Amino acid sequence: MTDQKKTELLGMSQTELEDFVVSISEPKFRARQLYKWIYQKQTASFYDMSDIPRDLRFKLDDIAQISIPRFLKQRVSQDGTRKFLLEMNDKKRVETVIIPQTHEKNTQYTVCISSQVGCPIGCAFCATGAGGFQRNLLAYEIAGQVLSSRRELAKRLKRNEIDLITNVVYMGMGEPLLNYDEMIKSVYMLNEHNGINIGQRHITISTAGEVSGIKRLLQEDLQLTLAISLHACDNDLRNELVPINKKYPLEMLLDAAREYSKKSNRRVTFEYVLLDEVNTRKKDAEAMIKLLKPILANVNLIPYNEVSGLDFKRPSNHRINQFYQWLTAGGLNVTLREERGTDIEAACGQLAAKKDRQT
Ligand code: SAH
Ligand code: SF4
């Protein structure tokens, strides 16, 4: 059960937990125990904390809570990708995608997390955007998706290594840079060495082009990977596809990207969703080469995952390959995204959890 009057422990650092236990007249070292239960063992129930005295467990349950997002259901793809439907305290739901990556028989996982319920940007081709915006997620609701994912995965796979999940991408529902403060707090939570312990370079923030957020990110002393959802290389088309382009046109976006790669000395990833007859013509490839050649960039092509009710189509495989060839011939560093989870609508841009739509 959750209760507004209870103190939320999820999201607290070890020092904050120390202040909390001291405030309820308990010894400081209890904070270390709590920290471990929450962030290393994904435990939401005080009753399971076996090294904490029984009386204290009851006391904690009266006054505090640990709101790791509740797992409601999953769908499992033929390729092993899972989509989890998770619920927050106020019953708002988000989808989180867990993608296996196998290297030499060892499988580790990337989790694709949501930063908002819905999204206010409203890109023309995106299922999340089409559903409108409901609210920002709090830092512990964002990082908590990784804890839920780890707990549920460990249970299902009967594996409980702490590093089962090695990568986190902010590519689920929502625009992370429009929820900057909570997003960045969640990054610090994920990165905490004694806690969830995801390396900075293993965290990717994907943005539709919130330039002021990219500039703030530049000020942080963090080695995050930045992914920019480009989708068009002229302002007219981009205004239509990614409406935030009207506020921050391509010139401003590219300046910010350049600055980010210079400061971090790393390549910025440009995501480009392939839409048939819209942005996959020869002249689109030429425009992209002109735009990105001078930048330290990786281009990630994402064949469009069709969304029912939206008019966009995925190009033929022939066209997808042709577009790829044009770009590589032009000297760009390009990858074609391997498609995962399409059969369970868990692919990029297909997340659209709603209360009344429970798949
Ligand atoms: N709001 C952020 C992050 C979430 S979207 C952003 O836009 O970057 C993650 C990626 O999926 C973005 O590149 C987005 O443009 C892309 N995407 C959205 N809908 C898609 C769809 N139906 N098929 C393929 N990619 C899609
Ligand atoms: Fe929002 Fe990203 Fe979807 Fe655009 S693509 S509507 S920014 S979630």
Side-chain angles (χ1 to χ4, degrees), residues 119 123 125-127 170-176 206-208 227 229 231 271 273 302-307 337 348-350:
C119 181
C123 297
F125 50 83
C126 171
Y170 286 65
M171 289 187 188
M173 302 167 70
E175 167 53 44
S206 175
T207 178
S229 295
H231 310 325
E271 294 160 278
V273 60
I302 318 169
Y304 183 55
N305 298 302
E306 293 182 9
V307 174
R337 185 173 294 181
C348 248
Q350 288 188 314

Coordinates of all heavy atoms in Angstrom, one line a residue, residues 119 123 125-127 170-176 206-208 227 229 231 271 273 302-307 337 348-350, ligand 1:
C119 N 3.8 12.4 -24.0 CA 4.8 13.3 -24.5 C 4.2 14.5 -25.1 O 3.2 14.4 -25.9 CB 5.7 12.6 -25.5 SG 7.0 13.8 -26.1
C123 N 5.4 14.4 -32.1 CA 6.0 14.1 -33.5 C 4.9 13.4 -34.3 O 4.2 12.5 -33.7 CB 7.3 13.3 -33.3 SG 8.5 14.2 -32.4
F125 N 4.8 11.0 -36.3 CA 4.8 9.6 -36.6 C 4.8 8.7 -35.4 O 4.8 7.5 -35.4 CB 6.0 9.2 -37.4 CG 7.3 9.8 -36.8 CD1 7.9 9.2 -35.7 CD2 7.8 11.1 -37.2 CE1 9.0 9.7 -35.1 CE2 8.9 11.6 -36.5 CZ 9.5 10.9 -35.5
C126 N 4.7 9.3 -34.2 CA 5.0 8.6 -32.9 C 3.7 8.3 -32.1 O 2.9 9.2 -31.9 CB 6.0 9.5 -32.1 SG 6.2 8.8 -30.4
A127 N 3.6 7.0 -31.7 CA 2.5 6.6 -31.0 C 2.4 7.3 -29.6 O 1.3 7.7 -29.2 CB 2.5 5.1 -30.7
Y170 N 17.3 6.3 -22.5 CA 16.1 7.1 -22.2 C 15.3 7.3 -23.6 O 15.3 8.3 -24.2 CB 16.4 8.5 -21.6 CG 16.8 8.5 -20.2 CD1 18.0 7.8 -19.8 CD2 16.1 9.1 -19.2 CE1 18.4 7.8 -18.5 CE2 16.5 9.1 -17.9 CZ 17.6 8.4 -17.5 OH 18.0 8.4 -16.2
M171 N 14.8 6.2 -24.0 CA 14.1 6.2 -25.4 C 12.7 5.6 -25.3 O 12.2 5.1 -26.3 CB 15.0 5.3 -26.4 CG 16.3 6.0 -26.8 SD 17.0 5.0 -28.1 CE 18.6 5.8 -28.2
G172 N 12.2 5.5 -24.1 CA 10.8 5.0 -24.0 C 9.8 6.2 -24.2 O 10.0 7.0 -25.2
M173 N 8.9 6.3 -23.4 CA 7.9 7.4 -23.6 C 8.4 8.7 -23.0 O 9.0 8.8 -22.0 CB 6.6 7.0 -22.8 CG 6.0 5.7 -23.3 SD 4.7 5.1 -22.2 CE 3.4 6.2 -22.5
G174 N 8.2 9.8 -23.8 CA 8.5 11.1 -23.2 C 9.8 11.7 -23.7 O 10.6 11.0 -24.3
E175 N 9.9 13.0 -23.5 CA 11.1 13.8 -23.9 C 11.9 14.1 -22.6 O 11.5 14.9 -21.8 CB 10.7 15.0 -24.6 CG 11.7 16.1 -24.8 CD 13.0 15.6 -25.5 OE1 12.9 14.8 -26.5 OE2 14.1 15.9 -25.0
P176 N 13.0 13.3 -22.4 CA 13.7 13.5 -21.2 C 14.2 14.9 -20.9 O 14.2 15.3 -19.7 CB 14.9 12.6 -21.3 CG 14.9 12.1 -22.7 CD 13.6 12.3 -23.3
S206 N 18.1 10.4 -25.2 CA 17.6 10.7 -26.5 C 16.7 11.9 -26.5 O 15.7 11.9 -25.7 CB 16.9 9.4 -27.1 OG 16.3 9.7 -28.3
T207 N 17.0 12.8 -27.4 CA 16.1 14.0 -27.4 C 15.6 14.4 -28.8 O 16.4 14.1 -29.8 CB 16.9 15.3 -26.8 OG1 16.0 16.4 -26.9 CG2 18.2 15.5 -27.6
A208 N 14.5 14.9 -28.9 CA 13.9 15.4 -30.2 C 14.5 16.7 -30.6 O 14.2 17.2 -31.7 CB 12.4 15.5 -30.1
A227 N 21.9 11.2 -27.8 CA 21.3 10.8 -29.1 C 20.3 11.9 -29.5 O 19.4 12.3 -28.7 CB 20.6 9.5 -29.0
S229 N 17.3 13.0 -32.1 CA 16.3 12.4 -33.1 C 16.2 13.4 -34.3 O 15.5 14.4 -34.1 CB 15.0 12.2 -32.5 OG 15.1 11.2 -31.5
H231 N 15.7 13.0 -38.1 CA 14.5 12.6 -38.9 C 14.3 13.4 -40.2 O 13.6 13.1 -41.1 CB 13.2 12.6 -38.2 CG 13.3 11.8 -36.9 ND1 14.0 10.6 -36.8 CD2 12.7 12.0 -35.7 CE1 13.9 10.2 -35.6 NE2 13.1 10.9 -34.9
E271 N 19.6 9.9 -34.6 CA 18.7 8.9 -34.9 C 17.8 9.4 -36.1 O 17.5 10.6 -36.2 CB 17.7 8.6 -33.8 CG 18.5 7.9 -32.6 CD 17.7 8.1 -31.3 OE1 17.8 9.2 -30.7 OE2 17.0 7.2 -31.0
V273 N 14.5 8.1 -38.3 CA 13.5 7.1 -38.6 C 13.2 7.1 -40.1 O 13.1 8.2 -40.7 CB 12.2 7.4 -37.7 CG1 11.6 8.7 -37.9 CG2 11.2 6.3 -37.9
I302 N 16.6 4.0 -38.2 CA 15.5 3.2 -37.6 C 14.4 3.0 -38.6 O 13.6 3.9 -38.9 CB 14.9 3.8 -36.4 CG1 16.0 4.5 -35.5 CG2 14.1 2.9 -35.6 CD1 15.4 5.4 -34.4
P303 N 14.3 1.8 -39.2 CA 13.1 1.6 -40.1 C 11.8 1.9 -39.3 O 11.7 1.4 -38.2 CB 13.2 0.1 -40.5 CG 14.7 -0.2 -40.3 CD 15.1 0.6 -39.1
Y304 N 10.9 2.6 -39.9 CA 9.7 3.0 -39.2 C 8.9 1.8 -38.7 O 8.7 0.8 -39.4 CB 8.8 3.9 -40.1 CG 7.6 4.4 -39.4 CD1 7.7 5.1 -38.2 CD2 6.3 4.2 -39.9 CE1 6.5 5.6 -37.6 CE2 5.2 4.7 -39.3 CZ 5.3 5.4 -38.2 OH 4.2 5.9 -37.5
N305 N 8.5 1.8 -37.4 CA 7.6 0.8 -36.9 C 6.2 1.4 -37.1 O 5.8 2.4 -36.4 CB 7.9 0.5 -35.5 CG 9.3 -0.1 -35.3 OD1 9.6 -1.1 -35.9 ND2 10.1 0.6 -34.6
E306 N 5.4 0.8 -37.9 CA 4.1 1.4 -38.2 C 3.2 1.4 -37.0 O 3.2 0.5 -36.2 CB 3.5 0.6 -39.4 CG 4.3 0.9 -40.7 CD 3.7 0.2 -41.9 OE1 2.6 -0.3 -41.9 OE2 4.5 0.3 -43.0
V307 N 2.4 2.5 -36.9 CA 1.5 2.7 -35.8 C 0.1 2.8 -36.3 O -0.1 3.6 -37.3 CB 1.9 4.0 -35.1 CG1 0.9 4.3 -34.0 CG2 3.3 4.0 -34.5
R337 N 19.6 0.1 -37.4 CA 19.2 -0.5 -36.2 C 18.6 -1.9 -36.4 O 17.7 -2.1 -37.1 CB 18.2 0.4 -35.4 CG 17.9 -0.2 -34.0 CD 17.1 0.7 -33.2 NE 17.8 1.9 -32.9 CZ 17.3 2.9 -32.1 NH1 16.1 2.8 -31.6 NH2 18.0 4.0 -31.8
C348 N 11.0 0.9 -30.9 CA 11.0 2.3 -30.8 C 9.8 3.0 -31.2 O 9.3 2.8 -32.4 CB 12.2 2.8 -31.6 SG 13.5 3.4 -30.5
G349 N 9.3 3.9 -30.4 CA 8.1 4.7 -30.8 C 6.8 4.0 -30.8 O 5.8 4.6 -31.1
Q350 N 6.8 2.8 -30.3 CA 5.5 2.1 -30.3 C 4.9 2.0 -28.9 O 3.9 1.3 -28.7 CB 5.6 0.7 -30.9 CG 5.8 0.7 -32.4 CD 5.8 -0.7 -32.9 OE1 6.4 -1.7 -32.3 NE2 5.1 -1.0 -34.0
Ligands
SAH1 N1 11.5 11.7 -27.0 C1 12.8 11.3 -27.3 C2 13.0 9.9 -26.8 C3 12.0 8.8 -27.0 S1 11.6 8.3 -28.6 C4 13.1 11.4 -28.7 O1 12.2 11.7 -29.5 O2 14.3 11.3 -29.0 C5 12.9 7.3 -29.1 C6 13.2 7.2 -30.6 O3 12.1 6.5 -31.3 C7 13.2 8.6 -31.3 O4 14.3 8.7 -32.2 C8 11.9 8.6 -32.0 O5 11.9 9.5 -33.0 C9 11.8 7.2 -32.5 N2 10.4 6.8 -32.9 C10 9.3 7.3 -32.5 N3 8.2 6.7 -33.1 C11 8.8 5.7 -33.9 C12 8.2 4.7 -34.7 N4 7.0 4.5 -34.8 N5 9.1 3.9 -35.4 C13 10.4 4.0 -35.2 N6 11.0 5.0 -34.4 C14 10.2 5.8 -33.8

